[in-house]
Amino acid sequence: MLKIACAKVDITPDASGWIGFIAAPAKLPPRDPLFGRLFLLEDDTKSTLLVSLDYGGLYLSAQDDWREELAAAMDIPVNRVILHCVHQHDTPFVCIEAFKAYDPAVDLSWFDKVRRNVKAAALTLKDKLQSVARIGWSETRVYGYASNRRVPMPDGSIAVRFSRCGDPAVKNKPVGIIDPMLRTLGFYGNDGKMIAAWSFYGTHPQVANTGERFGADAPGEAMRLLETTQAGVVHSLFNGCFGNVTAGKYSGDDLEENIRVFGKKLADAITLNTQAMETVEADSFDWQQEVFDFPAREFTEADYERLGKHHFTLPLAMRCASEYGIKRGNKYAVEMLKLGAVKLFFVDGELFSEYAVFAQSLAADQKLAIVGNCGDTCFYIGTAEALSNPEGYEVNSFCRVKPEFEETFKNTLRKMLAE
C-alpha cells in the first residue's frame, strides 16, 4: 500500500542569517516567509523523504550532512533523502566551508535552528501518513516565463539575459532552448480527493530579487494562490534544469507586478494540470540509483586569480569545492523515483536546459521530469559545446565541470530509462 504524509515548515532565517552567497544580512523585514515542504512517501517495504526548500542552494557539507542527519533520524537510506532548493535568489545560499574560509567566526546558529525545525517536522510524518489510492499526471505549456539566458549575438559572442534584462538588443532575441512544460504529479486518497501535488518547471524562478529582504518570489506567490484556491491540497514546486534559463525576456521593472504576474502563471498552469489529471491506481514505488565519477575541473592559482577579478566569491567557492571533492570524493549520483509510469530524476547542480530537452527526447511518450539543484555542489553544469567554447556568464563563473560530463550523463539516462 502506498502512503504519503506532508508538512510545511517556516525556514526563514532569523537576524543572523543572510541572503545570497556570503552576503550581508537582510536590510528589510521579509517580504514573505520561506518554507520547507516535506513529503514522506512509503509503501510496504521502503520509504523516501523529499524536501523542497525556498532556498537558493545547499553546497558541500550543508547538503551532505543534513541529508545524513535526516536519513539517520528517519531510518531511510541517505540516497532516498532528497533536499531540493527551488533557487529563489532573495534566500540563503548555504556553503559552510566557504563561509568559514571567509570568516572563521561566522554565526551559523540560524541554520542549525532551521535544521532542527525541519528534522522535528520530519519526525512527525509517520503519524500523518494517508493512503494513496491513485496518482495522476498532467502537463501544460507555460507561456511568457522561461527564456534561455545565453543569447548568441551577431559578432559571435554570447550575451547574458539575466532575470531582469534592460538591454532591448538582448531582451528581444528569440526564446532559445528551454523546456516549456510544467508537469504535475498528484496524489489522491481513498475518498478520491487530492492530498498533495508536486509540480516541476525549469527556470531561474526569481523576477523580483533585490538582495535586501527575504522573499519566496514568484514560486512563493504561486503557492500562496494555490493554498487559497485549493485548500486541503499540499502543493510544492520543484525546479528542473534551469542553469541557463531565466525570465529575462519577459520580466519588467515593477518588481511587485513581476511577482504577481509570474506567480499567477505558475499557479494557473498547476491548476490546469490538477483539473486534467489522468489517474491510475498506485500501491508502491521503485527507486534506482546510478553513480559515476564527476569530471571535476582542476584549478590553478592563475585560474583563481582570474575568477577573483570578477567577484571574490568565485575563487572561494571553487577552491572550497575542489578541496571538498578531494576529501569526500568527486561522485555524481542520479536518483530515479518510479511511481507507476511516472519517472522522476533527482540530480545535483544547475544543469543547462538542453539536458531536460534530451531526457524528454528519450521518453517522448512517457511521464518524466528532472529535478535539479538537489544539492549544488556541482554548481553550473553546461553542455560540452558551451564548456569547450566558454562564452557567457555560466561557464566563466560558478562552474567546475568538464565537457566529458555530457556524454556520461546522457548515457546514464539512456541506461536508466531502458531498464
Side-chain angles (χ1 to χ4, degrees), residues 279-323:
T279 68
V280 296
E281 293 183 359
D283 58 8
S284 65
F285 69 88
D286 293 315
W287 196 276
Q288 183 179 348
Q289 180 196 58
E290 292 290 336
V291 180
F292 58 84
D293 291 331
F294 178 71
R297 176 183 168 190
E298 296 178 358
F299 292 90
T300 65
E301 290 302 320
D303 290 327
Y304 291 132
E305 182 178 355
R306 175 183 58 81
L307 289 169
K309 292 178 181 179
H310 296 282
H311 199 274
F312 80 94
T313 59
L314 291 174
L316 191 59
M318 295 302 99
R319 192 184 295 272
C320 287
S322 294
E323 293 172 354

Side-chain angles (χ1 to χ4, degrees), residues 177-179 241 352-364 368 370 383 406-415 417:
I177 296 175
I178 63 167
D179 179 358
C241 298
F352 276 24
S353 187
E354 285 86 344
Y355 289 109
V357 173
F358 172 79
Q360 295 297 333
S361 76
L362 293 179
L368 179 149
I370 296 182
T383 61
E406 179 174 339
E407 190 58 28
T408 305
F409 181 76
K410 287 182 174 180
N411 285 338
T412 301
L413 291 186
R414 290 186 183 99
K415 177 181 177 182
L417 286 170

